[in-house]
Amino acid sequence: MTRGRLVAAGGFAVVLALLTACAPAAPVVEPTATPVSAEQSELLAAARFRNFDAGTRAVRVDLDDSGTTLHLEGWFDYATLTGYAALSADDRPNALLLWDASAISAHAPVATDAAAPPPLPVPDAVPLGDSWQSSPLSATHSRLHTVLQVIASLGSDRPDNPLLLRQGGALALGQETLDDAPVTVFAGPLSDNPLPAGQTVDPEAATTRFWLDDQGVMRRAAVRLGGSGSWIDIDFADAPGVDLGGARTTGAAG
């Protein structure tokens, strides 16, 4: 999948395309789900732009990949489309990762503590040195690759079209509190195109969710992968002062 397609595809279609083959076996019932209002669709439409406008966001993910418990913690710079994180596997440091929408580079871990954040500045990265091993990033490779591509897709240099989000089946799932902040929980649209007139949207069919504050800032995204029906949370936070210093994977555009 090329960078151009991942960045330029219409709105939330990017995430939908990555999850097309991930039909859940254990649906989650959301009895309070309602179609998004015009005001709510504006909030959801701004979410990816808020990430881009913030520049760098802190990201944290825990997931099971082929029986291995993975923990990813680091940052994604939506201005340069570059992610950087420390990866641990079964509570042991595994690698440092640099990635963009189409490529991933891995470096041997530099910490002995699996909970340690990735070091700054990024080691041996400008230009990318021989200590990094690079390869294509592909959702067909692993659940980790899919999640990294989803993270990369959650930024845009302009808001999405709120009307298309309403017509595509986006739902409001209710209010929650996340990290002591009130958020609205949304199910992403089922399609990037208008659904047939009169079609009832089944909340169990959604494969994406978004937790947004009252400014439309994304505090969490969740995706449902594979046949297990389990949700993988991608937690976001502010990252004041974090600068990746121009680090890029070999696949990133300059």
Side-chain angles (χ1 to χ4, degrees), residues 39-115:
E39 182 179 0
Q40 289 170 332
S41 69
E42 294 279 356
L43 198 69
L44 184 58
R48 296 197 311 137
F49 175 73
R50 297 296 186 203
N51 276 343
F52 176 84
D53 192 48
T56 301
R57 307 278 332 264
V59 294
R60 177 188 177 106
V61 183
D62 291 288
L63 73 150
D64 179 88
D65 197 347
S66 301
T68 299
T69 300
L70 301 179
H71 174 74
L72 184 84
E73 186 156 359
W75 304 278
F76 198 91
D77 182 348
Y78 285 98
T80 65
L81 280 177
T82 301
Y84 172 53
L87 178 70
S88 64
D90 293 334
D91 293 323
R92 294 187 299 273
N94 181 271
L96 298 177
L97 301 180
L98 273 172
W99 79 97
D100 63 8
S102 58
I104 183 171
S105 299
H107 186 289
V110 298
T112 57
D113 181 0

Side-chain angles (χ1 to χ4, degrees), residues 19-254:
L19 304 177
T20 297
C22 303
V28 177
V29 177
E30 297 289 353
T32 62
T34 59
V36 292
S37 66
E39 182 179 0
Q40 289 170 332
S41 69
E42 294 279 356
L43 198 69
L44 184 58
R48 296 197 311 137
F49 175 73
R50 297 296 186 203
N51 276 343
F52 176 84
D53 192 48
T56 301
R57 307 278 332 264
V59 294
R60 177 188 177 106
V61 183
D62 291 288
L63 73 150
D64 179 88
D65 197 347
S66 301
T68 299
T69 300
L70 301 179
H71 174 74
L72 184 84
E73 186 156 359
W75 304 278
F76 198 91
D77 182 348
Y78 285 98
T80 65
L81 280 177
T82 301
Y84 172 53
L87 178 70
S88 64
D90 293 334
D91 293 323
R92 294 187 299 273
N94 181 271
L96 298 177
L97 301 180
L98 273 172
W99 79 97
D100 63 8
S102 58
I104 183 171
S105 299
H107 186 289
V110 298
T112 57
D113 181 0
L120 289 171
V122 182
D124 193 26
V126 184
L128 202 68
D130 292 340
S131 60
W132 292 87
Q133 300 297 314
S134 301
S135 61
L137 185 67
S138 172
T140 62
H141 180 75
S142 68
R143 290 161 66 88
L144 174 62
H145 277 222
T146 302
V147 169
L148 294 178
Q149 283 193 314
V150 168
I151 292 171
S153 76
L154 292 177
S156 174
D157 62 0
R158 60 182 61 86
D160 291 298
N161 187 320
L163 178 59
L164 287 181
L165 295 180
R166 296 200 301 275
Q167 294 176 337
L171 300 172
L173 304 181
Q175 304 290 318
E176 290 187 9
T177 299
L178 185 63
D179 295 331
D180 298 323
V183 293
T184 303
V185 187
F186 296 94
L190 300 184
S191 171
D192 199 51
N193 297 309
L195 299 177
Q199 178 174 328
T200 301
V201 178
D202 183 356
E204 298 176 3
T207 55
T208 60
R209 291 179 180 172
F210 304 95
W211 284 250
L212 308 181
D213 67 17
D214 59 4
Q215 299 300 311
V217 175
M218 195 178 298
R219 300 299 177 182
R220 172 178 291 168
V223 294
R224 194 156 51 177
L225 304 181
S228 68
S230 60
W231 289 91
I232 296 174
D233 291 340
I234 303 167
D235 286 311
F236 289 91
D238 297 333
V242 174
D243 184 355
L244 301 188
R248 301 285 193 280
T249 68
T250 56

